[in-house]
């Protein structure tokens, strides 16, 4: 036998050893696999195979297979044992072994892709024309009142409507669902209703409420000349106002016409004129060439001689400003956040603020990291008492970072044994079980959390029809993902949401790319659909202009089965652009397989 044949024989032996290892691991997990839903049982076995494969370092084998132009197992996640069997058969043919290919229960590639497509359709509904990846859109409060807005979302390509139970109430949710179903019926579409459980959010507590005022200013050039006047939208009072909106009673709006002039005196005593530039039902757009401050209860003098009074504006949030080396006390009791000014007896400023989830205090230890407001502020725990935890700020903006109420707190080093279901979640599940297609489960950290959710769903008699989506947003969830998936796969259908914002803070910004790739790989092995979430086209949805990195990120989302958009005043633009990007990318890549269409050259 020549050297080349001996090398191939060695590779065959290595593959036999790998297969022996993954099949042995399957035996160890047999009891868990047998408990999985029948539609997911082979998928669960493949997940175990993939996990066992990743326990081995096969890079040398992959390199040698590549030199022979044979599959290197790089895309084998959904069909591990089948791929190994095929490679073994091909290697045998290279050295003249014409053995019939082994027949086993392993899922072949074509079948694996078909199974994933089926699971995706069950969870997220039918695909849109020319687009495999579904689009999920977070509904704002106005979706309960604005049927036209919801209709636009459906017509522009929304496949799934997401309702966050951390906001609004059952009455609003029901109206949102009715508007979605009405629009879907009108456009002959099926749109899935997905509802997020709020979960045990760890956030900063109350701050003092500031004045109820909004500032509007024109856009000026470097010489101070007005390029574009301040744009204000006067609209009938609603439960949720966008940044440029001010509530004014309907009878006042009905008296306004194009080019009318509205006079007022703002909070500083400055006289201002608002010019009507657009009139629509229940809303009027006006412009002002000067900066103006509008407040709750302020009188608007209309051309008719009558007055309209500005309705209730949201209070401005007070905040504390923290610097590096400052001390911050996190209180278990509900206190109003404030700062004690530094002096001779206090070389550093001392800030005090409460925590909305005091249960975490028992799990926090000295030396552990703590992060606030999406990681903008970072600190180290230097003292742990029963009622107060003291933090030394190690990272903040050079000019100081503003810390407001209701900002996220992350404890990436702490082992938090907190149930994923709160009392509110259990109450909300009653509504979800009756009205939603899927429940998105926040703060899942362990298989026990999943089992608790499934028990609650079964109690409401919805286990046969309610899909489960696991939000992976903590280091613990990532570390336990295989076990979490095997537990969740007892139900059908099941999916995963990569909550990249919280996950990046938990795992570290330098690791998030690797972490999201690993989650995609594990879910692909389990043939579990994935939602690509957090800040997709966020700048576009909120400000009307996308950043270049957002476009690239949206294009990368083709690797998932669904992409989630968050709410914003320009959400329609975001849906249209995402739909276009995903359709364009469809011809270049299907799931993890790169495609090579004809190269189009536009221009020179």
């Amino acid at each position: 036998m020549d050297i080349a044949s001996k090398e191939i024989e060695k590779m065959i032996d290595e593959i036999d050893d790998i297969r022996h290892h993954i099949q042995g691991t399957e035996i160890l997990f047999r009891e868990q696999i047998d408990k999985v839903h029948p539609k997911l049982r082979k998928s669960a076995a493949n997940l175990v195979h993939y996990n066992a494969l990743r326990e081995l370092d096969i890079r040398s084998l992959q390199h040698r297979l590549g030199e022979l132009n044979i599959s290197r197992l790089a895309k084998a996640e959904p069909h591990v044992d089948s791929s190994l069997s095929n490679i073994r058969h091909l290697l045998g043919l290279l050295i003249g072994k014409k053995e019939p290919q082994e027949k086993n229960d392993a899922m072949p590639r074509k079948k694996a892709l078909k199974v994933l497509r089926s699971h995706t359709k069950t969870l997220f509904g039918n695909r849109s024309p020319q687009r495999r990846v579904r689009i999920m859109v977070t509904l704002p409060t106005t979706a309960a009142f604005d049927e036209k807005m919801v209709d636009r979302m459906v017509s522009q390509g929304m496949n799934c409507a997401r309702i966050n139970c951390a906001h609004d109430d059952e009455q609003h949710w029901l109206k949102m669902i009715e508007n979605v179903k009405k629009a879907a019926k009108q456009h002959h579409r099926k749109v899935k209703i997905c509802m997020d459980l709020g979960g045990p959010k760890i956030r900063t507590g109350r701050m003092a409420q500031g004045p109820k005022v909004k500032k509007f200013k024109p856009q000026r050039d470097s010489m101070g000349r007005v390029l574009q006047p301040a744009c204000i939208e006067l609209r009938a009072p609603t439960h949720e106002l966008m940044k440029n909106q001010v509530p004014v009673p309907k009878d006042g709006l009905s008296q306004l016409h194009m080019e009318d002039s509205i006079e007022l005196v703002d909070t500083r005593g400055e006289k201002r004129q608002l010019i009507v530039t657009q009139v629509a039902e229940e809303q009027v757009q006006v412009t002002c060439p000067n900066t103006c401050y509008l407040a709750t209860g302020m009188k608007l003098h209309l051309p008719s001689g009558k007055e309209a009074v500005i309705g209730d504006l949201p209070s401005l949030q007070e905040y504390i400003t923290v610097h590096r080396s400052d001390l911050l006390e996190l209180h278990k009791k509900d206190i109003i956040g404030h700062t004690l000014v530094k002096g001779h007896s206090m070389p550093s400023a001392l800030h005090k603020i409460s925590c909305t989830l005091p249960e975490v205090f028992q799990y926090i230890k000295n030396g552990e990291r703590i992060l606030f407001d999406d990681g903008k502020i970072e600190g180290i725990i230097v003292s742990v008492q029963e009622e107060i935890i003291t933090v030394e700020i190690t990272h903040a903006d050079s000019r100081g970072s503003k810390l407001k109420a209701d900002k996220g707190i992350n404890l990436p080093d702490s082992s938090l044994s907190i149930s994923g279901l709160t009392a509110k979640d259990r109450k909300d599940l009653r509504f979800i079980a009756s009205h939603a297609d899927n429940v998105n489960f926040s703060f899942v950290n362990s298989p026990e959390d999943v089992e608790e959710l499934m028990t609650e769903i079964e109690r409401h008699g919805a286990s046969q029809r309610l899909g489960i989506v696991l939000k992976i947003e903590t280091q613990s969830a990532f570390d336990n993902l295989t076990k979490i998936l095997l537990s969740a796969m007892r139900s059908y259908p099941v999916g995963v949401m990569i909550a990249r914002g919280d996950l990046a803070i938990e795992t570290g910004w330098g690791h998030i790319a690797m972490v999201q790739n690993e989650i995609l790989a594990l879910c692909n092995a389990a043939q579990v659909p994935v939602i690509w979430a957090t800040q997709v086209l966020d700048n576009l949805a909120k400000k009307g202009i996308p950043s270049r990195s957002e476009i690239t990120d949206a294009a990368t989302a083709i690797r998932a089965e669904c992409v989630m958009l968050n709410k914003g005043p320009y959400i329609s633009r975001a849906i249209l652009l995402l739909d276009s990007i995903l359709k364009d990318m469809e011809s270049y890549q299907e799931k993890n397989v790169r495609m090579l269409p004809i190269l189009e050259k536009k221009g020179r």
Side-chain angles (χ1 to χ4, degrees), residues 91-371:
L91 290 173
L93 292 177
L94 288 176
I95 56 175
K97 289 186 176 181
K98 296 184 180 180
E99 301 171 352
Q101 190 164 1
E102 175 190 353
K103 292 184 178 181
N104 55 34
D105 291 334
M107 195 180 295
R109 177 183 178 278
K110 191 173 180 180
K111 174 68 173 175
L113 295 175
K114 185 177 179 181
V115 165
L116 179 58
R117 285 196 293 267
S118 175
H119 297 338
T120 302
K121 182 178 179 181
T122 304
L123 192 65
F124 301 132
N126 295 329
R127 59 180 290 169
S128 295
Q130 301 175 313
R131 172 161 57 80
R132 172 186 63 84
V133 180
R134 278 65 167 179
I135 295 176
M136 177 182 289
V137 183
T138 305
L139 299 183
T141 303
T142 46
F145 311 102
D146 194 338
E147 292 184 21
K148 291 181 180 178
M149 180 187 72
V150 176
D151 188 83
R152 282 196 303 273
M153 288 179 173
V154 173
S155 66
Q156 289 165 350
M158 176 175 71
N159 305 100
C160 309
R162 173 179 176 252
I163 298 172
N164 190 347
C165 292
H167 304 289
D168 306 311
D169 54 33
E170 292 186 6
Q171 186 179 359
H172 288 90
W173 303 338
L174 190 59
K175 288 180 179 178
M176 291 178 193
I177 292 169
E178 288 172 353
N179 287 342
V180 169
K181 289 185 174 180
K182 182 178 178 180
K185 185 177 181 180
Q186 189 165 339
H187 292 281
H188 308 289
R189 301 265 309 280
K190 287 186 178 179
V191 178
K192 293 282 187 175
I193 304 296
C194 308
M195 299 189 70
D196 272 38
L197 292 171
K201 300 295 183 185
I202 312 173
R203 295 186 176 275
T204 54
R206 293 184 300 147
M207 293 283 183
Q209 293 294 306
K212 296 186 175 185
V213 63
K214 277 193 174 186
K215 176 185 177 181
F216 298 91
K217 64 179 181 178
Q219 183 181 342
R220 300 178 184 271
D221 63 15
S222 56
M223 301 292 289
R225 293 171 297 211
V226 174
L227 296 174
Q228 186 174 329
C231 184
I232 307 167
E233 187 178 297
L234 308 179
R235 66 168 299 144
T238 64
H239 288 77
E240 184 177 51
L241 293 171
M242 298 300 182
K243 190 174 182 180
N244 69 325
Q245 293 176 341
V246 173
V248 174
K250 290 182 185 179
D251 56 351
L253 296 175
S254 63
Q255 299 177 45
L256 294 171
H257 304 88
M258 290 289 291
E259 299 184 8
D260 276 353
S261 176
I262 305 168
E263 295 184 350
L264 63 95
V265 178
D266 79 357
T267 58
R268 303 165 300 164
E270 299 287 348
K271 291 182 179 181
R272 294 290 182 252
Q273 275 193 337
L274 309 179
I275 306 301
V276 176
T277 57
Q278 189 175 322
V279 177
E281 187 179 354
E282 296 192 359
Q283 62 186 50
V284 173
Q285 185 172 292
V286 298
T287 59
C288 184
N290 306 104
T291 299
C292 64
Y293 290 76
L294 305 184
T296 298
M298 183 176 287
K299 293 178 180 179
L300 304 179
H301 302 283
L302 308 180
S304 63
K306 294 184 178 181
E307 294 178 344
V309 178
I310 293 177
D312 196 33
L313 292 170
S315 298
L316 290 179
Q317 273 198 12
E318 295 293 337
Y319 54 85
I320 56 178
T321 303
V322 300
H323 296 79
R324 188 175 177 182
S325 299
D326 282 357
L327 295 178
L328 184 150
E329 287 184 352
L330 201 61
H331 284 246
K332 184 180 284 189
K333 288 184 179 179
D334 180 21
I335 65 167
I336 294 177
H338 62 281
T339 297
L340 299 178
V341 181
K342 61 183 178 181
H344 294 296
S345 60
M346 277 195 334
S348 297
L350 176 63
H351 313 279
K352 300 191 176 192
I353 196 169
S354 62
C355 173
T356 59
L357 197 69
E359 295 94 313
V360 301
F361 277 49
Q362 61 185 302
Y363 304 110
I364 296 174
K365 298 177 182 176
N366 280 347
E368 294 179 337
R369 290 175 297 153
I370 182 168
L371 299 97

Side-chain angles (χ1 to χ4, degrees), residues 477-517:
F478 173 64
D479 293 339
N480 296 323
L481 186 54
T482 297
K483 293 177 182 177
I484 287 171
L485 284 172
L486 286 172
S487 182
M489 290 166 76
R490 298 178 190 179
S491 180
Y492 183 83
V494 63
V496 159
M497 179 187 291
I498 308 179
R500 298 180 299 157
D502 284 317
L503 199 54
I505 299 164
E506 287 271 330
T507 62
W509 294 103
H511 301 292
I512 185 58
M514 178 274 291
V515 167
Q516 68 187 21
N517 284 342

Side-chain angles (χ1 to χ4, degrees), residues 547-557 581:
S547 66
R548 282 168 288 187
S549 59
E550 281 185 336
I551 302 298
T552 305
D553 179 58
T556 307
I581 290 171

